[in-house]
Amino acid sequence: MVYAGIDLGGTNIAVGIVNESGKILSQCSTPTRPERPYQEVAQDMIVCIEKALRQAGCTVESLHSIGIGIPGIADAKTGRIIFCTNLGWRDIPLREELQKSINKPVFIDNDATVAGYAESVSGVSRGCDTSVFLTLGTGVGAGIIFNGRPWNGAHGVGGEIGHMTLAVNGVPCTCGNNGCVERYCSATAIIRMARQSCMAYPDSAILKKAGSIDDIDAKAVIDAAKEGDKIALRIFHRYCDFLAMAINNITAMLDPEMIVLGGGVSRAGTFLTDTVKEYTPRYLMYKTMPSPKIEIAQLGNEAGIIGAGLLGLLVKKQ
Ligand SMILES: [Zn+2]
């Protein structure tokens, strides 16, 4: 049997045919164009699945199920998308729509959750029963894998680690609260801190790399920090300190075997994990006890397709 995995993004629909061990056999993608009626987006998903199946030399009969990772939340029971802000979708019966064309089980889950699940099956957290995946990008997404299964709570909104409060009366968040993890641990947070610092210290190597304050991105800051620029290092250490705090909050609640870091900031590699590990002991409560390993994700952009596809495996495991 093979599994169709769909990574539904605001820009592209990426579809892959995945085998039981999480290997992608073929891929196909098409622009999402979310302004269209959702029925058209669903139809494009079907076309891509059929194309990818042909490329992999598989038939629809050999397809076990369709899994979809969405940048939002879904109701697992009904297969309806509840919220998908950057697609502008609310209460969309996606499973029902897809099953009009291909009558197979359809599973829908959050994109960070499925990426974390993929890492736990065929990536860096392979073999861990419990792990937490964090995407450090424009925001902070999270996927909790608990006892080998994605965990998103009693109402489907668990794992919103990006919106746990890290600072009382802190930086205002897009969610309406203040001081959320996302405001301190995302690439956006690095950029905000760097812009402030570069106003006071225009000689920083960050500005030389970025060109102007408006063009500062996380990479410019991380590259300057790697080269030893003092301002960039100060920002990077502050960032890693915040991330260590967030990781400690996760540890206090779940004590996972591993915290997996993905997303743009994770391209900093061991420079990131080594620095975060300098700070985590400060916040750990049981300092002499083992603490979660902190590792960089291995599957990159393919994690979305693999994890979505493998949602079908969970049913088999039951
Ligand atoms: Zn928030």
Side-chain angles (χ1 to χ4, degrees):
M1 287 303 243
V2 291
Y3 305 81
I6 304 180
D7 184 1
L8 176 62
T11 315
N12 279 305
I13 303 166
V15 179
I17 301 301
V18 179
N19 71 11
E20 290 209 4
S21 34
K23 187 168 177 279
I24 297 180
L25 306 175
S26 63
Q27 276 195 62
C28 174
S29 86
T30 188
T32 311
R33 292 187 284 134
E35 64 287 351
R36 302 182 284 168
Y38 74 89
Q39 292 91 339
E40 289 180 22
V41 178
Q43 198 46 47
D44 275 0
M45 288 179 178
I46 297 289
V47 171
C48 278
I49 292 171
E50 288 169 344
K51 216 191 244 179
L53 276 171
R54 273 197 303 277
Q55 276 169 17
C58 301
T59 59
V60 174
E61 288 69 44
S62 66
L63 183 69
H64 175 271
S65 51
I66 301 168
I68 309 160
I70 58 158
I73 55 169
D75 184 326
K77 285 200 191 82
T78 61
R80 293 174 90 92
I81 291 183
I82 302 166
F83 270 120
C84 214
T85 323
N86 55 5
L87 296 185
W89 283 9
R90 256 187 116 142
D91 197 29
I92 299 288
L94 186 59
R95 176 191 289 162
E96 198 183 306
E97 189 61 31
L98 290 170
Q99 285 178 335
K100 284 181 192 167
S101 304
I102 297 184
N103 193 19
K104 296 281 178 178
V106 174
F107 307 102
I108 310 173
D109 214 322
N110 174 266
D111 51 7
T113 303
V114 302
Y117 180 51
E119 292 289 343
S120 79
V121 174
S122 61
V124 69
S125 45
R126 186 174 58 242
C128 294
D129 272 345
T130 303
S131 58
V132 174
F133 175 80
L134 298 175
T135 49
L136 311 171
T138 309
V140 172
I144 299 173
I145 310 306
F146 192 72
N147 287 339
R149 304 179 70 89
W151 169 261
N152 40 32
H155 313 97
V157 296
E160 288 291 351
I161 288 169
H163 298 282
M164 294 196 317
T165 305
L166 202 60
V168 175
N169 299 324
V171 177
C173 184
T174 49
C175 73
N177 291 329
N178 293 316
C180 293
V181 164
E182 183 163 296
R183 299 276 66 83
Y184 298 88
C185 299
S186 57
T188 312
I190 297 182
I191 295 166
R192 184 189 69 241
M193 291 192 275
R195 283 187 178 152
Q196 285 164 354
S197 295
C198 286
M199 304 250 210
Y201 304 98
D203 292 338
S204 159
I206 300 170
L207 266 189
K208 291 191 191 89
K209 288 193 183 294
S212 74
I213 292 227
D214 287 339
D215 292 322
I216 292 175
D217 56 13
K219 189 178 181 300
V221 181
I222 292 166
D223 286 348
K226 278 183 174 170
E227 287 167 21
D229 178 74
K230 271 194 187 143
I231 301 299
L233 270 173
R234 199 187 297 163
I235 294 163
F236 189 67
H237 274 260
R238 215 167 148 228
Y239 172 83
C240 289
D241 191 0
F242 283 128
L243 191 52
M245 249 184 256
I247 287 174
N248 179 54
N249 288 343
I250 296 167
T251 305
M253 186 162 73
L254 284 173
D255 184 21
E257 288 160 78
M258 191 183 287
I259 305 274
V260 180
L261 305 180
V265 179
S266 74
R267 290 195 203 111
T270 50
F271 185 53
L272 175 70
T273 47
D274 287 349
T275 316
V276 171
K277 283 178 209 167
E278 282 180 37
Y279 289 95
T280 41
R282 293 188 187 189
Y283 303 108
L284 288 173
M285 190 176 168
Y286 299 107
K287 294 187 198 297
T288 56
M289 295 292 291
S291 58
K293 290 190 185 123
I294 300 169
E295 301 286 348
I296 299 290
Q298 276 177 354
L299 302 174
N301 288 337
E302 293 189 336
I305 290 177
I306 298 170
L310 294 181
L311 288 174
L313 263 189
L314 290 165
V315 188
K316 284 189 163 178
K317 273 193 201 167
Q318 270 173 346

